[in-house]
């Protein structure tokens, strides 16, 4: 069975600074997809970034980037130049196929201080 | 293009009553997923449906829960004889069909409270 682990319940960062959220996963599959979702207080789930396991290049989306280590089964998210609007719960998620279910970690609460 | 719509946004039921949660996918999307989020936890997969078909229900509790996605109309998640432990936020997501990798777009969720 696949599992997704986020070991940091909460991370605090100052505005304009950088924070890195960790995620590890367990799978026997060689081809899969990894995601980071953001859930602000509104509870709306928002896709932040996606990584295909067959791609060696780490995905980036503006201030968000990932460090994907396939052998270590690690998928961390880096938020650069943090903004107050980045404050939210961040969930790491795994999917084994193009259309299958998402498996989520427990989440990391990001607190941004002025 | 309107996003994924869920209604009601908030639903209060007494123990033993039935709860019906509705999800209208984004236009052009024919895949629907239901997830449940208990307080202070991540989302847990419940069921994956295509029009008139249940593709994966491995996350659905064996009793009291059912889901459908008819040819016409929204997808429905039905919980019979609700209990306090059913209190949670229920999220619906939809995605396209075809070849390639398709994102799941989430609705705003339905918060169910069982009193």
């Amino acid at each position: 069975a696949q599992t997704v682990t986020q070991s940091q319940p909460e991370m605090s960062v100052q505005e304009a600074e950088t924070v890195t959220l960790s995620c590890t996963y367990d799978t026997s599959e060689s081809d899969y997809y990894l995601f980071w979702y953001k859930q602000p207080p509104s509870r709306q789930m928002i896709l932040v970034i996606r990584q295909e396991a067959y791609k060696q290049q780490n995905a980036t989306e503006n201030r968000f980037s990932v460090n994907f280590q396939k052998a270590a089964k690690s998928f961390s998210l880096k938020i650069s130049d943090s903004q107050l609007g980045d404050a939210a719960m961040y969930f790491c998620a795994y999917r084994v196929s193009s259309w299958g279910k998402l498996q989520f970690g427990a989440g990391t609460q990001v607190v941004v201080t002025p | 293009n309107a996003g994924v719509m869920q209604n009601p946004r908030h639903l209060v039921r007494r123990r033993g009553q039935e709860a019906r949660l509705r999800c209208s996918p984004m236009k052009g999307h024919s895949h629907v997923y239901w997830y449940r989020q208990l307080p202070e936890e991540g989302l847990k997969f419940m069921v994956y449906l295509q029009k008139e078909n249940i593709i994966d229900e491995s996350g659905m509790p064996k009793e009291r829960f059912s889901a459908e996605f008819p040819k016409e109309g929204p997808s429905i998640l039905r919980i019979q004889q609700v209990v306090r432990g059913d209190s949670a936020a229920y999220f619906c997501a939809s995605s396209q069909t075809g070849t390639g990798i398709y994102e799941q777009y989430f609705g705003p969720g339905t918060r169910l409270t069982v009193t």
Side-chain angles (χ1 to χ4, degrees):
Chain A
Q2 295 87 6
T3 58
V4 180
T5 302
Q6 294 178 251
S7 58
Q8 305 153 315
E10 184 174 302
M11 295 288 283
S12 187
V13 61
Q14 282 194 316
E15 262 189 302
E17 296 296 310
T18 295
V19 64
T20 299
L21 312 183
S22 65
C23 173
T24 58
Y25 56 94
D26 183 29
T27 184
S28 57
E29 303 288 339
S30 59
D31 204 13
Y32 48 87
Y33 308 92
L34 296 163
F35 305 84
W36 280 97
Y37 279 86
K38 170 184 177 180
Q39 186 178 45
S42 67
R43 293 192 152 262
Q44 177 73 51
M45 294 290 287
I46 302 164
L47 177 65
V48 175
I49 200 164
R50 178 188 80 197
Q51 175 80 43
E52 293 90 336
Y54 61 83
K55 289 187 178 179
Q56 292 189 339
Q57 187 172 8
N58 288 324
T60 62
E61 286 289 340
N62 301 314
R63 298 181 295 106
F64 297 87
S65 61
V66 299
N67 183 4
F68 173 48
Q69 302 288 329
K70 191 172 184 179
K73 297 180 183 176
S74 170
F75 182 59
S76 61
L77 175 70
K78 185 169 79 172
I79 307 174
S80 304
D81 186 24
S82 297
Q83 301 174 359
L84 293 176
D86 295 332
M89 184 72 86
Y90 286 79
F91 292 99
C92 178
Y94 163 99
R95 191 173 81 198
V96 72
S97 67
S98 296
W99 298 328
K101 63 189 176 189
L102 288 164
Q103 291 179 270
F104 288 89
T108 296
Q109 182 71 48
V110 170
V111 177
V112 182
T113 55
Chain B
N1 190 2
V4 179
M5 315 234 341
Q6 290 188 248
N7 67 80
R9 294 292 306 276
H10 300 275
L11 182 62
V12 180
R13 285 287 178 266
R14 290 199 180 98
R15 278 179 295 172
Q17 291 185 318
E18 178 179 289
R20 282 185 178 238
L21 288 62
R22 293 175 184 75
C23 169
S24 296
M26 286 179 69
K27 188 176 181 180
H29 287 193
S30 59
H31 298 230
V32 166
Y33 308 79
W34 285 94
Y35 296 86
R36 176 165 66 174
Q37 185 177 30
L38 295 169
E40 309 301 324
E41 293 187 15
L43 280 71
K44 295 286 196 294
F45 168 77
M46 299 182 74
V47 63
Y48 163 31
L49 310 104
Q50 294 178 16
K51 289 279 187 182
E52 301 183 284
N53 282 306
I54 296 175
I55 307 302
D56 181 357
E57 57 181 348
S58 58
M60 284 280 270
K62 292 287 185 279
E63 297 177 350
R64 302 187 298 108
F65 286 72
S66 62
E68 63 176 8
F69 188 16
K71 189 176 180 181
E72 301 291 338
S75 175
I76 307 285
L77 179 67
R78 182 182 177 206
I79 312 172
Q80 295 178 291
Q81 298 176 323
V82 296
V83 300
R84 288 252 172 89
D86 296 333
S87 294
Y90 292 82
F91 289 90
C92 166
S94 73
S95 70
Q96 291 175 287
T97 185
T99 57
I101 305 160
Y102 292 102
E103 316 299 352
Q104 292 182 21
Y105 293 87
F106 282 81
T110 294
R111 184 182 291 276
L112 172 66
T113 302
V114 179
T115 61

